Amino acid sequence: MNFRLAFLTMKYNVVPYLHPDFVIKFLFLLNKVKYLPRISDAMRTTDEQLKYKRRGWSTVEDSPHMLGLAADLSYYTRFDRSVIQKYNPALGIRFLEHGG
């Protein structure tokens, strides 16, 4: 699904295509944190993923980011992340943290 929403600030490397089910769940979560998001690393390219792996920011060559099924929450406040984590189980999604 191609998306461009006026209230979203997207990092320079975000490709605006996400899995439709993820977009629906993501918009639900954004509503819970008052639509003040910055989305980053959604729909990461193969080259970007390999760069993340070389730098030790990831330990895998394939990532949910590459499928438009994940977004980086590092720019959210601790309170907003706790709200998002509260709703994740009901939505059937997981809160992932970058590993290295």
Side-chain angles (χ1 to χ4, degrees):
M1 175 176 172
N2 186 351
F3 75 100
R4 293 203 184 271
L5 303 170
F7 60 84
L8 277 177
T9 301
M10 291 190 283
K11 192 175 167 189
Y12 70 91
N13 64 344
V14 172
V15 180
Y17 290 91
L18 295 177
H19 191 283
D21 290 340
F22 179 68
V23 171
I24 292 166
K25 293 174 182 182
F26 191 63
L27 290 175
F28 173 83
L29 291 174
L30 294 181
N31 179 52
K32 298 300 181 185
V33 295
K34 308 294 188 263
Y35 288 105
L36 297 173
R38 172 181 160 113
I39 185 170
S40 109
D41 294 337
M43 203 60 189
R44 195 180 294 156
T45 65
T46 303
D47 290 340
E48 289 168 339
Q49 182 62 29
L50 293 175
K51 180 172 70 175
Y52 273 58
K53 185 175 179 188
R54 281 193 309 272
R55 292 180 176 175
W57 299 343
S58 178
T59 57
V60 295
E61 291 183 10
D62 295 315
S63 164
H65 290 286
M66 298 171 73
L67 302 174
L69 289 168
D72 189 348
L73 300 179
S74 62
Y75 295 97
Y76 290 71
T77 66
R78 181 180 297 157
F79 175 77
D80 288 346
R81 284 194 304 267
S82 69
V83 170
I84 290 168
Q85 286 178 329
K86 172 184 164 188
Y87 289 99
N88 280 355
L91 295 173
I93 58 178
R94 293 181 295 164
F95 184 83
L96 304 175
E97 294 186 19
H98 288 288

